[in-house]
Amino acid sequence: MDYVNAFWVGGLLCALAQILLDRTKMMPGRVMVFLVVTGCILGFTQIFKPLQEYAGAGVSVPLLGFGNTLWKGVKEAVDQNGFIGIFMGGFKASAVGICAALVFGYLASWIFEPKMKK
């Protein structure tokens, strides 16, 4: 049942993002930022954790999970370092994921031929 819940919740999130893209004048970057900020807000209001326990990867893999990771990193850094933690917490929490995306993107560019849009 975990797979089913992850599938329908993740699919619903992606469908809502697609509706925002199709029915509004929001650009893709703004929709992505909206999803990340929504993940931060869900983490702050402590709604994300029960949702993650229910839906698993269906909610943690999309951009909501990235926003929650940023929120948790900032919260922990502020608890440890005070005000300066606002600036360093998100970087420490998300560094591994961002680094992996860069490395695998670079490796994929070696395997495949990237082309510029015309």
Side-chain angles (χ1 to χ4, degrees):
M1 199 61 187
D2 292 337
Y3 295 118
V4 173
N5 290 337
F7 179 78
W8 81 263
V9 172
L12 180 66
L13 290 172
C14 293
L16 291 173
Q18 190 64 46
I19 289 169
L20 282 175
L21 288 169
D22 292 343
R23 303 285 182 198
T24 66
K25 293 183 179 181
M26 291 178 73
M27 299 299 289
R30 290 188 180 188
V31 173
M32 291 172 60
V33 168
F34 174 76
L35 291 171
V36 172
V37 170
T38 302
C40 291
I41 292 170
L42 289 175
F44 172 75
T45 57
Q46 298 178 355
I47 296 172
F48 190 85
K49 187 170 182 175
L51 187 60
Q52 186 179 19
E53 289 172 0
Y54 176 75
V59 74
S60 63
V61 171
L63 289 171
L64 292 176
F66 182 68
N68 185 58
T69 299
L70 291 174
W71 160 252
K72 287 193 302 187
V74 169
K75 183 177 181 288
E76 290 173 9
V78 167
D79 290 343
Q80 291 176 356
N81 303 316
F83 181 76
I84 195 73
I86 294 172
F87 303 105
M88 60 190 258
F91 291 115
K92 289 176 91 173
S94 62
V96 172
I98 293 171
C99 182
L102 290 171
V103 168
F104 290 122
Y106 183 68
L107 291 175
S109 74
W110 272 16
I111 296 170
F112 305 101
E113 282 190 46
K115 297 177 184 167
M116 298 297 287
K117 286 186 175 182
K118 293 180 181 182

